[in-house]
Amino acid sequence: MTSVVTAPDQLQKLAERAGSDLEGASAIEILTWANEHFDASWCVASSMADTLLPHLASRVRPGVDVVFLDTGYHFAETIGTRDAAEATLPITVKTIKPRQSVEQQDASFGARLYERNPDQCCALRKVNPLRQALEPYTAWASGLRRDEAVTRANVRVVEWDARRQMVKLNPIAAWTQEDVDQYSAENGVLINPLLFDGYGSVGCWPCTRRLAPGEDARAGRWAGTGKLECGLHD
Ligand code: SF4
């Protein structure tokens, strides 16, 4: 059943109702709800830290679009994980690049903008490209989990993305790291090798470091800057 709902105010109501109704539903049930309401007009955004969400989404919709932001600052392991996912899963990877290459950005704003103004760097290389990449869709799915960091503790399984005027799906919001590990082991989910090498979360190499003992999974991102999120999920 494809939804006839396209007006933003009705989509917002639909998302808010689903956020309540689908709390406690499985990730597959949440993605199936999206597939029934939005047909092909939904996608997955993946950082390729792992391929769990693309794996789940491809079970519901083989060939599903998976948006990957190629910031120009990725670890080689991340590009390799994307390539392996594309080769082995029934997904359609959409690699999105910023308007400027790293060299062009350096020429415009000076080298190492990520050190001087990471918010501007993230806006140029992540937030703006994602906004443009998502424009054709009605809904997008992310792999946010409540247990990853305090900034994500209140994420709902379906919510209204007011900034983009879209429905946002967080099908594994309630999953724990144990749930992720179990599903990944049982289903042969590809995992970025950096997660076996001391990293708790994978982003651009200039802004990601290994974790110290006892740190939460995202503590290695923008460490020491006070920045907690890239702005994709505001
Ligand atoms: Fe730039 Fe760092 Fe943001 Fe990547 S994570 S876009 S390098 S500031």
Side-chain angles (χ1 to χ4, degrees):
M1 177 210 35
T2 301
S3 171
V4 293
V5 174
T6 54
D9 59 332
Q10 292 185 350
L11 281 172
Q12 180 175 359
K13 285 188 188 132
L14 183 70
E16 289 170 353
R17 193 166 61 243
S20 299
D21 292 350
L22 292 173
E23 180 63 35
S26 71
I28 291 291
E29 287 169 336
I30 294 163
L31 291 166
T32 299
W33 173 88
N35 200 45
E36 288 175 352
H37 282 79
F38 309 123
D39 195 21
S41 190
W42 64 281
C43 67
V44 172
S46 175
S47 65
M48 294 297 164
D50 62 45
T51 59
L52 173 60
L53 192 58
H55 189 285
L56 283 163
S58 71
R59 286 173 53 194
V60 171
R61 189 174 190 93
V64 64
D65 288 350
V66 175
V67 171
F68 171 71
L69 298 176
D70 185 354
T71 63
Y73 283 119
H74 280 305
F75 293 94
E77 289 88 341
T78 302
I79 300 299
T81 303
R82 177 203 60 186
D83 293 346
E86 190 169 28
T88 58
L89 287 174
I91 59 176
T92 305
V93 174
K94 306 269 187 189
T95 293
I96 307 299
K97 291 181 182 287
R99 193 173 58 81
Q100 290 187 310
S101 67
V102 169
E103 293 72 25
Q104 289 169 331
Q105 178 172 297
D106 287 354
S108 299
F109 299 94
R112 297 187 297 281
L113 182 63
Y114 50 80
E115 287 181 355
R116 291 174 287 109
N117 192 339
D119 285 342
Q120 185 181 19
C121 186
C122 278
L124 292 166
R125 312 205 71 74
K126 289 184 169 183
V127 179
N128 295 345
L130 182 67
R131 189 189 66 237
Q132 287 175 359
L134 294 181
E135 270 171 11
Y137 303 99
T138 307
W140 67 295
S142 92
L144 291 187
R145 297 203 334 261
R146 293 169 186 155
D147 73 343
E148 289 176 308
V150 290
T151 50
R152 300 183 173 187
N154 297 319
V155 162
R156 310 195 74 190
V157 293
V158 181
E159 54 192 13
W160 178 239
D161 181 343
R163 183 165 60 159
R164 301 182 184 86
Q165 298 285 288
M166 299 176 70
V167 177
K168 186 175 181 192
L169 313 158
N170 301 305
I172 59 169
W175 286 33
T176 64
Q177 187 60 50
E178 273 185 6
D179 296 330
V180 170
D181 293 345
Q182 184 179 347
Y183 182 92
S184 299
E186 289 175 353
N187 293 280
V189 169
L190 291 163
I191 297 171
N192 191 314
L194 295 172
L195 293 181
F196 300 108
D197 190 24
Y199 292 86
S201 172
V202 177
C204 299
W205 61 260
C207 303
T208 309
R209 65 152 171 77
R210 290 181 175 84
L211 295 179
E215 287 186 323
D216 80 36
R218 290 186 59 80
R221 305 288 296 278
W222 305 284
T225 68
K227 182 174 166 68
L228 298 173
E229 298 279 356
C230 52
L232 297 181
H233 303 290
D234 292 350

